[in-house]
Amino acid sequence: MMEIRTPKTHKAKRVLEKRAPKLVENGKKTLILHGTKTSATLSAVLMELYRLKKGGAIKYSRRNENIRPFESGGETSLEFFSLKTDCSIFAYGSHTKKRPDNLVLGRMYDHHVYDLIEVGIENFKSLLSFSYDKKIAPHEGSKPFICFTGEGFENVPELKQLKEVLTDLFRGEVVDNLNLTGLDRAYICSAISPTKVFLTHCAIKLKKSGTIVPRIELVEVGPSMDLVIRRNRLPNEGLRKEAMKSSKDKPKKKVKNVDQNDVLGKRGRIYIPEQEVGKNPLPDKSKGVKRERREGKLKKNKEEGSASKKLKGSE
Amino acid sequence: MDTEMDQIYQIDVGNLLAFNPNHRFPSAPSSREELVKECVTEGTKLVQAIADTLFNFPSTETVDGPLVQLPPPTTKLPREKHLPMPKPPTKWEEFALKKGIQKRKKDKIVYDETTDQFKRRHGYDRVNDDNDIPIIEAKASDEPGEDPFAKRLDDKKKRVGKQEKNRLQNLKTAAKAGALPSHVQLAVTALPISGTKTQPQKIGKDALGDVAGLAATSTASGGKFDKKLPGEKPPKKQGKHHKYLPVVPRYGVVDEEKEQTNKVLGKLLSKHSHEILNVGKAINMYNDKKEKKKSGRSDKLKAKKDITKKKPYANKAN
């Protein structure tokens, strides 16, 4: 017996349609939560990350004891929250003696954990500690510039993964049209060592230059921190291939020389190169010629055979 | 691609992303402030590079400011959900395709001949309403006792039922192909194994836990080596269930263990013990056992004892 459950209100129906899998997806939402214990720096980091991503983030304030992202059974709670809030990226903070100021950034595919990267936070400077002219403060929800510097991002696999995760985290919505006056923030990530990344958030000042392109000046406004790579988990190869699939990968190959006809069915055209009749010599298949060749071959074999015998005899 | 000396930046305008793979940070730690300054200056260069390409795009002027068309992003990032499956055609759609039936758009307002008015097609005061027919003419094929109005109602009910069944079937085929429409959830409420048509009662969490515990401990090893699903809690009563009677009898209470054995003995030795104990069978079993022990065992491995041979005479003097 099957039971069909349909939403009873239009609003519910719209919510379900928004969360359904689509060809062109919505921007990823971030889920921010923390574990059993957090330090002052870590709670500040989580709060500021939430403020930076205000439009597309959900912050949970209660502590979650049974979430352990790197253990096999400890991700069920995360997957449940991801399903309920429709969030595909999460930032889980915890503070233990072994891993102080620990932040796990993870992504979900179909509400199951896709990949994880664990970073430790050092030298954290809160956005309240930066003093700047309030006019240039970036607006909420504006599309940011993201800059990566350092050869580490290309050579070290963990940093490569971190680059991808940070791009996904800060990217926001993918838009077709962009208002040039609304560009006011930039995230700068620099790989200062193979295990450390310096992350800072700056506001953009556009200054007049001679050309159409204004001169850019960056002023540090937001939180800045050092991310130290700890553990990571790369996605399954099969899962990665599936997640990277997009509908525009292989455009449908146009089949040439085939057409459909309602009356005659499927018809194809075959092109044959021009037959030059009279130019190529015809093979001589007359009987007499055949026999001669055969006899000729026999003679040759006899000679060869006797030659080899001679050789053998001489030995 | 911006070339400056030997620095080539990887720019993805669609994401407003820039990557400089050639910068080398000094391994010797300079002061923190200098490091920060260096990072910011490098970042400025990258943002400038993106802005160069961005501001050179053709822009349209709007109220809020110049609007620019962004190219699609070039860095590939994983999707958050799987690609939607194409919906399989419904039975009607297949039929329509085969027959070449085209969809025709229907008007909301239709001209009603009987009242010479424009009426709506569906809803209150509609065209061709079933309930409005005052007289139904009898046809030659009609039976005398039949109520034609009731018949019309019946037909309508049947049609609605059939349509509902078809709709369910279409949803089932879509669910099978993994392409269920997003606002529909298909839930199985009963297992197809049971023959009864009644819906099974909803089992509570505690009851389910008890049953799961029972199932786990009913194995020979008491559920110790069962594979556990992630997040599954251990069963409430682990290990085998043994009931041990107290060894030392409590004050005033009859010795339970003694009682137990006495009970069994009493039953066996009572007048009606032949009802409990099958004496004939017991005797046969005992005799069989005895015979097996005495006479030659069919152990092919063991050498058969030859009874004709006598034991060597043991010298009594030694």
Side-chain angles (χ1 to χ4, degrees):
Chain A
M1 247 198 292
M2 298 279 232
E3 188 187 73
I4 294 188
R5 279 195 235 140
T6 45
K8 302 282 184 254
T9 57
H10 282 293
K11 186 170 182 187
K13 186 174 176 184
R14 272 181 274 137
V15 167
L16 280 173
E17 283 184 351
K18 195 175 178 191
R19 293 186 178 190
K22 298 176 203 158
L23 278 176
V24 177
E25 295 186 314
N26 314 328
K28 291 191 187 180
K29 284 206 275 192
T30 310
L31 178 67
I32 302 174
L33 34 61
H34 62 90
T36 337
K37 202 171 162 204
T38 40
S39 59
T41 44
L42 194 65
S43 43
V45 168
L46 292 174
M47 188 45 123
E48 298 192 355
L49 185 63
Y50 174 63
R51 290 241 202 97
L52 288 176
K53 285 215 74 186
K54 201 54 180 294
I58 290 176
K59 185 171 188 295
Y60 280 175
S61 50
R62 299 189 83 192
R63 61 188 181 148
N64 304 285
E65 287 154 347
N66 52 354
I67 295 184
R68 282 168 223 284
F70 281 89
E71 283 172 41
S72 61
E75 12 181 271
T76 45
S77 229
L78 269 174
E79 293 180 356
F80 175 74
F81 290 146
S82 155
L83 191 64
K84 280 290 163 179
T85 58
D86 194 33
C87 287
S88 297
I89 317 184
F90 67 87
Y92 169 76
S94 69
H95 177 79
T96 55
K97 206 169 179 184
K98 191 175 176 190
R99 291 180 233 271
D101 294 333
N102 200 28
L103 185 68
V104 181
L105 297 167
R107 291 182 290 181
M108 302 275 198
Y109 177 72
D110 259 352
H111 302 295
H112 293 295
V113 169
Y114 175 75
D115 70 349
L116 303 162
I117 185 154
E118 186 177 59
V119 287
I121 298 175
E122 290 177 7
N123 299 327
F124 172 69
K125 269 185 103 183
S126 153
L127 54 81
L128 306 161
S129 61
F130 288 96
S131 54
Y132 52 90
D133 185 12
K134 295 298 170 195
K135 284 191 213 164
I136 56 166
H139 293 100
E140 210 178 83
S142 55
K143 195 155 167 78
F145 284 95
I146 316 173
C147 307
F148 291 95
T149 320
E151 52 185 13
F153 283 121
E154 213 171 37
N155 304 335
V156 184
E158 285 92 14
L159 288 183
K160 243 185 178 175
Q161 191 192 358
L162 184 64
K163 177 169 175 272
E164 210 184 291
V165 174
L166 286 175
T167 317
D168 231 343
L169 185 69
F170 293 134
R171 179 162 79 141
E173 294 259 359
V174 180
V175 284
D176 279 335
N177 300 317
L178 186 69
N179 188 348
L180 293 175
T181 50
L183 294 167
D184 48 12
R185 58 168 92 218
Y187 291 100
I188 317 269
C189 317
S190 336
I192 48 187
S193 88
T195 52
K196 233 187 203 188
V197 170
F198 172 66
L199 171 69
T200 182
H201 174 233
C202 307
I204 296 178
K205 256 193 190 176
L206 299 167
K207 289 215 165 143
K208 271 198 183 156
S209 76
T211 57
I212 329 165
V213 184
R215 196 166 60 89
I216 304 256
E217 210 180 276
L218 294 179
V219 178
E220 260 197 282
V221 296
S224 80
M225 59 193 96
D226 278 354
L227 305 172
V228 179
I229 308 272
R230 286 183 186 154
R231 293 182 288 182
N232 75 331
R233 195 206 284 182
L234 291 163
N236 263 336
E237 197 49 47
L239 193 63
R240 197 186 76 87
K241 276 197 182 152
E242 205 194 317
M244 292 293 201
K245 254 200 281 185
S246 72
S247 61
K248 292 182 190 168
D249 269 342
K250 280 189 204 166
K252 262 190 179 174
K253 268 192 176 173
K254 203 178 174 187
V255 186
K256 289 170 125 186
N257 298 323
V258 174
D259 62 336
Q260 281 267 29
N261 201 337
D262 280 341
V263 179
L264 299 161
K266 202 173 185 182
R267 305 181 86 208
R269 286 185 188 186
I270 309 170
Y271 288 97
I272 313 172
E274 198 185 311
Q275 286 179 315
E276 286 159 297
V277 187
K279 274 198 180 172
N280 291 337
L282 290 167
D284 198 347
K285 289 188 175 177
S286 45
K287 239 184 173 177
V289 177
K290 261 196 194 171
R291 197 187 289 156
E292 268 184 36
R293 288 187 73 197
R294 222 187 297 145
E295 285 176 355
K297 267 192 181 174
L298 271 171
K299 266 193 188 174
K300 220 184 171 184
N301 287 345
K302 267 189 185 171
E303 279 177 24
E304 278 187 332
S306 57
S308 62
K309 274 184 186 169
K310 275 186 187 172
L311 280 168
K312 275 188 182 174
S314 64
E315 279 172 30
Chain B
M1 295 268 227
D2 192 21
T3 339
E4 270 186 5
M5 291 192 276
D6 60 341
Q7 285 182 328
I8 305 171
Y9 302 149
Q10 292 174 14
I11 300 183
D12 175 7
V13 192
N15 272 332
L16 297 181
L17 177 74
F19 173 37
N20 178 5
N22 298 324
H23 188 90
R24 228 162 263 154
F25 282 94
S27 50
S30 47
S31 80
R32 176 91 189 159
E33 288 167 352
E34 276 191 30
L35 187 66
V36 172
K37 249 191 191 175
E38 195 184 341
C39 294
V40 177
T41 37
E42 285 299 315
T44 322
K45 286 187 206 165
L46 285 167
V47 178
Q48 188 72 59
I50 308 174
D52 283 341
T53 33
L54 204 61
F55 280 83
N56 282 323
F57 281 153
S59 65
T60 49
E61 282 290 330
T62 56
V63 185
D64 308 314
L67 214 67
V68 147
Q69 191 119 22
L70 276 180
T74 52
T75 36
K76 264 195 161 186
L77 289 167
R79 285 177 61 94
E80 66 171 337
K81 294 183 185 129
H82 59 270
L83 278 165
M85 303 276 218
K87 231 172 52 156
T90 60
K91 287 203 85 180
W92 168 254
E93 280 172 2
E94 279 173 14
F95 178 76
L97 204 69
K98 204 171 65 169
K99 285 273 182 168
I101 301 171
Q102 303 280 34
K103 253 193 191 176
R104 288 219 179 91
K105 189 136 174 125
K106 296 190 176 89
D107 292 323
K108 278 194 186 165
I109 311 282
V110 191
Y111 185 69
D112 187 11
E113 306 256 312
T114 49
T115 50
D116 289 337
Q117 265 187 4
F118 279 98
K119 283 193 177 172
R120 58 185 71 114
R121 189 186 286 272
H122 306 286
Y124 174 74
D125 193 25
R126 59 176 170 264
V127 167
N128 299 335
D129 195 350
D130 239 15
N131 308 341
D132 283 348
I133 306 170
I135 304 167
I136 302 177
E137 289 177 22
K139 286 192 275 184
S141 54
D142 274 347
E143 284 178 31
E146 221 181 329
D147 179 10
F149 297 99
K151 189 164 174 255
R152 284 182 88 100
L153 275 172
D154 241 355
D155 282 339
K156 177 151 188 176
K157 274 197 180 153
K158 279 190 194 152
R159 270 183 282 133
V160 169
K162 178 177 174 282
Q163 181 56 32
E164 189 61 32
K165 201 176 71 159
N166 288 345
R167 187 178 82 98
L168 268 166
Q169 270 304 111
N170 283 331
L171 282 172
K172 271 192 217 164
T173 44
K176 228 190 203 176
L180 206 57
S182 55
H183 56 272
V184 178
Q185 275 180 303
L186 215 53
V188 179
T189 53
L191 294 167
I193 310 164
S194 62
T196 55
K197 285 191 181 169
T198 55
Q199 285 211 8
Q201 282 175 319
K202 282 196 175 174
I203 316 171
K205 194 166 74 170
D206 297 10
L208 267 177
D210 288 333
V211 171
L214 273 172
T217 51
S218 58
T219 51
S221 55
K224 208 161 125 186
F225 302 104
D226 279 1
K227 255 193 194 169
K228 287 220 162 46
L229 292 168
E232 195 185 292
K233 290 186 193 151
K236 281 178 214 166
K237 198 172 182 185
Q238 280 180 331
K240 291 191 182 172
H241 303 285
H242 293 287
K243 189 178 178 185
Y244 295 108
L245 297 164
V247 174
V248 177
R250 282 176 290 160
Y251 180 77
V253 183
V254 176
D255 188 357
E256 286 157 338
E257 212 174 280
K258 202 172 173 185
E259 272 286 297
Q260 209 176 40
T261 39
N262 275 337
K263 215 174 170 183
V264 175
L265 264 175
K267 279 192 180 165
L268 284 173
L269 299 171
S270 72
K271 199 162 70 167
H272 306 283
S273 65
H274 58 274
E275 290 169 71
I276 304 166
L277 181 65
N278 188 346
V279 186
K281 195 173 183 185
I283 294 170
N284 285 337
M285 275 176 83
Y286 178 78
N287 284 339
D288 281 328
K289 217 177 181 181
K290 225 179 173 184
E291 275 175 26
K292 259 193 181 173
K293 243 186 175 178
K294 267 192 175 176
S295 66
R297 280 181 232 169
S298 58
D299 274 338
K300 289 179 187 161
L301 294 167
K302 225 174 181 178
K304 229 183 175 178
K305 214 173 173 184
D306 201 347
I307 47 172
T308 51
K309 272 198 178 164
K310 282 187 181 166
K311 268 192 197 169
Y313 176 74
N315 206 339
K316 273 189 181 172
N318 299 349

